[in-house]
Amino acid sequence: MSELTVYTYDWVPEPPRGYVRDLRIRWALEEAGLPYKVVGVPFKDRGAEHVAHQPFAQVPWLTDGELSVFESGAILLHLGNRSEKLLPADPQRRNDAVQWLIAALNSIEMATVPWSIFIFYDLKDTKPWEFFDGWVTARLDRLEPVFAKREWLAGTFSIADILMSDALRLLHRFDRLAKHPACLDYVARATARPAFKKAHADQLAHFKASSAG
Ligand SMILES: N[C@@H](CCC(=O)N[C@@H](CS)C(=O)NCC(=O)O)C(=O)O
Protein backbone atom coordinates (compact mmCIF):
# COMPACT_ATOMS: atom_id res chain seq x y z
CA MET A 1 0.00 0.00 0.00
CA SER A 2 1.41 3.44 -0.92
CA GLU A 3 2.47 5.99 1.68
CA LEU A 4 -0.03 8.68 2.74
CA THR A 5 1.24 12.17 3.57
CA VAL A 6 -0.91 15.11 4.70
CA TYR A 7 0.46 18.57 3.93
CA THR A 8 -0.45 21.54 6.10
CA TYR A 9 1.23 24.82 7.04
CA ASP A 10 4.29 24.82 9.26
CA TRP A 11 2.65 27.57 11.32
CA VAL A 12 -0.60 29.52 11.53
CA PRO A 13 -1.70 32.36 13.86
CA GLU A 14 -3.63 31.36 16.99
CA PRO A 15 -7.27 31.93 15.81
CA PRO A 16 -7.45 29.20 13.15
CA ARG A 17 -5.64 26.59 15.22
CA GLY A 18 -7.90 23.61 15.73
CA TYR A 19 -9.86 24.60 12.59
CA VAL A 20 -7.32 24.29 9.77
CA ARG A 21 -8.75 21.88 7.24
CA ASP A 22 -5.94 19.33 7.50
CA LEU A 23 -7.96 18.35 10.59
CA ARG A 24 -10.58 16.76 8.32
CA ILE A 25 -7.95 14.62 6.69
CA ARG A 26 -6.21 13.64 9.92
CA TRP A 27 -9.64 12.75 11.35
CA ALA A 28 -10.53 10.49 8.40
CA LEU A 29 -7.16 8.75 8.54
CA GLU A 30 -7.57 8.14 12.27
CA GLU A 31 -11.09 6.77 11.74
CA ALA A 32 -9.84 4.40 9.05
CA GLY A 33 -6.71 3.40 10.98
CA LEU A 34 -4.55 4.19 7.94
CA PRO A 35 -0.90 5.06 8.70
CA TYR A 36 0.16 8.54 7.57
CA LYS A 37 2.62 11.28 8.18
CA VAL A 38 2.13 15.04 8.32
CA VAL A 39 4.46 17.53 6.64
CA GLY A 40 4.45 21.28 7.30
CA VAL A 41 5.01 23.68 4.40
CA PRO A 42 5.81 27.39 4.76
CA PHE A 43 2.82 29.56 5.67
CA LYS A 44 4.64 32.78 4.91
CA ASP A 45 6.54 31.99 1.71
CA ARG A 46 4.38 29.81 -0.48
CA GLY A 47 6.48 28.68 -3.40
CA ALA A 48 5.89 27.15 -6.82
CA GLU A 49 6.16 23.64 -5.39
CA HIS A 50 3.21 24.42 -3.07
CA VAL A 51 1.13 25.83 -5.94
CA ALA A 52 1.94 22.78 -8.05
CA HIS A 53 0.04 20.70 -5.47
CA GLN A 54 -2.62 23.23 -4.39
CA PRO A 55 -3.34 25.83 -7.10
CA PHE A 56 -4.68 28.41 -4.60
CA ALA A 57 -1.59 28.08 -2.38
CA GLN A 58 -3.82 26.76 0.40
CA VAL A 59 -3.79 23.61 2.51
CA PRO A 60 -4.45 20.76 2.84
CA TRP A 61 -3.30 18.45 0.16
CA LEU A 62 -2.55 14.74 0.36
CA THR A 63 -0.10 12.55 -1.46
CA ASP A 64 -0.85 8.87 -1.86
CA GLY A 65 2.32 7.49 -3.36
CA GLU A 66 2.75 9.33 -6.66
CA LEU A 67 -0.80 10.74 -6.60
CA SER A 68 -1.41 14.25 -5.25
CA VAL A 69 -4.94 15.38 -4.26
CA PHE A 70 -6.11 18.86 -3.16
CA GLU A 71 -9.48 20.12 -1.81
CA SER A 72 -10.54 18.60 1.50
CA GLY A 73 -13.70 17.12 -0.07
CA ALA A 74 -11.75 15.44 -2.87
CA ILE A 75 -9.19 14.12 -0.39
CA LEU A 76 -11.94 12.63 1.78
CA LEU A 77 -13.54 10.98 -1.25
CA HIS A 78 -10.15 9.58 -2.20
CA LEU A 79 -9.71 8.14 1.29
CA GLY A 80 -13.29 6.90 1.22
CA ASN A 81 -12.31 4.68 -1.68
CA ARG A 82 -9.66 3.15 0.55
CA SER A 83 -11.85 2.30 3.53
CA GLU A 84 -15.46 1.32 4.06
CA LYS A 85 -15.16 2.87 7.52
CA LEU A 86 -15.23 6.19 5.67
CA LEU A 87 -17.52 5.51 2.72
CA PRO A 88 -20.02 2.61 2.83
CA ALA A 89 -20.01 0.07 -0.01
CA ASP A 90 -23.81 -0.25 -0.17
CA PRO A 91 -24.91 1.87 -3.18
CA GLN A 92 -27.75 3.72 -1.43
CA ARG A 93 -25.66 4.59 1.63
CA ARG A 94 -22.67 5.51 -0.52
CA ASN A 95 -24.88 7.84 -2.52
CA ASP A 96 -26.20 9.36 0.73
CA ALA A 97 -22.65 9.95 1.96
CA VAL A 98 -21.47 11.56 -1.28
CA GLN A 99 -24.46 13.88 -1.64
CA TRP A 100 -24.25 15.00 2.01
CA LEU A 101 -20.51 15.54 1.66
CA ILE A 102 -21.13 17.87 -1.29
CA ALA A 103 -24.00 19.53 0.61
CA ALA A 104 -21.69 20.19 3.56
CA LEU A 105 -19.29 21.98 1.24
CA ASN A 106 -21.62 23.66 -1.16
CA SER A 107 -24.77 24.36 0.85
CA ILE A 108 -23.49 24.69 4.42
CA GLU A 109 -19.87 25.83 4.26
CA MET A 110 -20.84 28.21 1.47
CA ALA A 111 -22.99 30.00 4.07
CA THR A 112 -20.88 29.51 7.20
CA VAL A 113 -17.58 30.87 5.87
CA PRO A 114 -18.91 34.29 4.73
CA TRP A 115 -20.89 34.44 8.00
CA SER A 116 -17.70 33.91 9.99
CA ILE A 117 -15.97 36.80 8.17
CA PHE A 118 -18.50 39.17 9.74
CA ILE A 119 -17.62 37.78 13.15
CA PHE A 120 -13.84 37.78 12.71
CA TYR A 121 -13.81 41.33 11.32
CA ASP A 122 -16.46 42.62 13.71
CA LEU A 123 -18.89 43.62 10.94
CA LYS A 124 -22.14 42.69 12.66
CA ASP A 125 -23.28 46.31 12.63
CA THR A 126 -23.34 46.40 8.83
CA LYS A 127 -26.40 45.94 6.61
CA PRO A 128 -25.28 42.71 4.84
CA TRP A 129 -24.90 40.95 8.21
CA GLU A 130 -28.67 40.38 8.38
CA PHE A 131 -28.57 38.62 5.03
CA PHE A 132 -25.63 36.37 5.92
CA ASP A 133 -26.99 35.56 9.37
CA GLY A 134 -30.40 34.81 7.85
CA TRP A 135 -28.78 32.50 5.32
CA VAL A 136 -27.22 30.50 8.16
CA THR A 137 -30.55 30.34 10.00
CA ALA A 138 -32.29 29.06 6.86
CA ARG A 139 -29.73 26.27 6.48
CA LEU A 140 -29.84 25.28 10.17
CA ASP A 141 -33.65 25.23 10.13
CA ARG A 142 -33.48 22.65 7.34
CA LEU A 143 -30.75 20.58 9.00
CA GLU A 144 -32.49 20.47 12.37
CA PRO A 145 -35.18 17.91 11.38
CA VAL A 146 -32.54 15.84 9.56
CA PHE A 147 -30.47 15.43 12.72
CA ALA A 148 -33.55 15.02 14.90
CA LYS A 149 -34.16 11.76 12.99
CA ARG A 150 -30.70 10.32 12.35
CA GLU A 151 -27.44 9.81 14.13
CA TRP A 152 -25.22 9.98 11.03
CA LEU A 153 -25.96 11.27 7.55
CA ALA A 154 -25.47 7.98 5.70
CA GLY A 155 -26.73 5.65 8.43
CA THR A 156 -23.28 4.92 9.80
CA PHE A 157 -20.49 7.44 10.38
CA SER A 158 -18.82 8.50 7.11
CA ILE A 159 -16.77 11.25 5.48
CA ALA A 160 -20.03 13.20 5.08
CA ASP A 161 -20.13 13.54 8.87
CA ILE A 162 -16.53 14.70 9.00
CA LEU A 163 -17.26 17.51 6.59
CA MET A 164 -20.70 18.42 7.91
CA SER A 165 -19.73 18.48 11.57
CA ASP A 166 -16.54 20.39 10.82
CA ALA A 167 -18.47 23.02 8.86
CA LEU A 168 -20.95 23.31 11.76
CA ARG A 169 -18.11 23.54 14.26
CA LEU A 170 -17.36 27.00 12.90
CA LEU A 171 -20.87 28.08 13.98
CA HIS A 172 -20.63 26.28 17.30
CA ARG A 173 -17.41 28.16 18.02
CA PHE A 174 -19.53 31.32 18.26
CA ASP A 175 -22.48 29.63 20.01
CA ARG A 176 -24.57 29.85 16.82
CA LEU A 177 -26.09 26.36 17.24
CA ALA A 178 -27.78 27.21 20.55
CA LYS A 179 -31.24 27.48 18.95
CA HIS A 180 -30.75 24.26 16.95
CA PRO A 181 -30.34 21.52 19.58
CA ALA A 182 -30.29 18.58 17.16
CA CYS A 183 -27.46 20.23 15.18
CA LEU A 184 -25.67 20.95 18.44
CA ASP A 185 -26.02 17.32 19.60
CA TYR A 186 -24.75 16.12 16.22
CA VAL A 187 -21.59 18.23 16.52
CA ALA A 188 -21.14 17.03 20.11
CA ARG A 189 -21.37 13.36 19.11
CA ALA A 190 -19.06 13.79 16.13
CA THR A 191 -16.40 15.62 18.13
CA ALA A 192 -16.65 13.09 20.98
CA ARG A 193 -15.22 10.42 18.67
CA PRO A 194 -11.70 9.37 19.66
CA ALA A 195 -10.47 9.91 16.08
CA PHE A 196 -11.59 13.55 16.16
CA LYS A 197 -9.99 14.12 19.55
CA LYS A 198 -6.70 12.68 18.37
CA ALA A 199 -6.71 14.65 15.10
CA HIS A 200 -7.58 17.86 16.93
CA ALA A 201 -4.91 17.38 19.60
CA ASP A 202 -2.33 16.49 16.95
CA GLN A 203 -3.09 19.62 14.95
CA LEU A 204 -2.77 21.84 18.02
CA ALA A 205 0.51 20.13 18.93
CA HIS A 206 1.81 20.57 15.37
CA PHE A 207 1.25 24.34 15.37
CA LYS A 208 2.43 24.74 18.95
CA ALA A 209 5.68 22.95 18.14
CA SER A 210 6.22 25.18 15.11
CA SER A 211 5.73 28.40 17.08
CA ALA A 212 8.11 27.14 19.76
CA GLY A 213 10.75 26.61 17.10
N1 LIG B 1 -11.84 24.52 -0.42
C1 LIG B 1 -10.57 24.31 0.21
C2 LIG B 1 -10.31 25.42 1.20
C3 LIG B 1 -8.90 25.36 1.71
C4 LIG B 1 -8.67 26.46 2.73
O1 LIG B 1 -9.50 27.38 2.90
N2 LIG B 1 -7.52 26.36 3.39
C5 LIG B 1 -7.16 27.36 4.37
C6 LIG B 1 -6.72 26.68 5.66
S1 LIG B 1 -8.12 25.85 6.40
C7 LIG B 1 -5.95 28.12 3.85
O2 LIG B 1 -5.05 27.55 3.29
N3 LIG B 1 -5.98 29.44 4.09
C8 LIG B 1 -4.92 30.33 3.74
C9 LIG B 1 -5.19 31.06 2.47
O3 LIG B 1 -6.26 30.96 1.89
O4 LIG B 1 -4.29 31.78 2.05
C10 LIG B 1 -10.57 22.92 0.91
O5 LIG B 1 -11.62 22.54 1.41
O6 LIG B 1 -9.52 22.27 0.94
Side-chain angles (χ1 to χ4, degrees):
M1 203 179 270
S2 47
E3 192 175 79
L4 294 163
T5 306
V6 181
Y7 291 83
T8 187
Y9 294 122
D10 57 358
W11 172 91
V12 294
E14 286 283 343
R17 292 184 189 185
Y19 293 85
V20 179
R21 287 172 176 78
D22 66 80
L23 178 70
R24 300 170 177 183
I25 317 307
R26 292 173 185 263
W27 184 359
L29 289 160
E30 293 293 337
E31 292 281 354
L34 292 166
Y36 63 100
K37 63 180 186 175
V38 176
V39 169
V41 297
F43 173 79
K44 289 186 176 148
D45 299 307
R46 303 177 198 174
E49 173 69 9
H50 185 152
V51 176
H53 289 279
Q54 216 293 0
F56 307 108
Q58 294 183 307
V59 298
W61 77 86
L62 173 93
T63 56
D64 180 347
E66 294 299 301
L67 194 75
S68 184
V69 194
F70 72 96
E71 281 292 336
S72 57
I75 299 168
L76 291 181
L77 285 167
H78 177 78
L79 294 176
N81 288 328
R82 274 207 170 196
S83 171
E84 281 186 37
K85 287 185 184 159
L86 298 174
L87 192 54
D90 169 73
Q92 179 61 56
R93 288 178 44 221
R94 197 176 182 87
N95 182 62
D96 286 346
V98 171
Q99 68 193 2
W100 277 110
L101 175 139
I102 303 288
L105 289 170
N106 207 37
S107 297
I108 303 302
E109 193 157 68
M110 185 189 265
T112 59
V113 169
W115 178 89
S116 72
I117 307 277
F118 284 79
I119 304 278
F120 285 121
Y121 291 93
D122 200 13
L123 296 170
K124 282 169 74 180
D125 286 342
T126 62
K127 185 101 186 106
W129 163 253
E130 257 173 60
F131 169 81
F132 285 100
D133 196 49
W135 190 10
V136 164
T137 301
R139 289 293 186 264
L140 291 178
D141 286 351
R142 294 291 178 189
L143 279 182
E144 189 66 8
V146 172
F147 292 126
K149 281 199 221 91
R150 63 179 109 169
E151 185 179 22
W152 305 117
L153 289 165
T156 52
F157 184 85
S158 73
I159 48 177
D161 298 300
I162 292 180
L163 261 176
M164 184 64 84
S165 62
D166 195 46
L168 293 176
R169 235 164 43 89
L170 185 60
L171 299 177
H172 182 43
R173 182 177 184 174
F174 300 103
D175 203 24
R176 186 62 175 78
L177 298 180
K179 292 186 183 145
H180 294 85
C183 293
L184 187 62
D185 285 355
Y186 170 71
V187 172
R189 64 181 172 267
T191 56
R193 294 177 73 85
F196 171 84
K197 288 187 177 168
K198 166 119 179 35
H200 188 256
D202 286 354
Q203 180 182 101
L204 293 180
H206 171 89
F207 292 128
K208 190 169 179 197
S210 66
S211 32

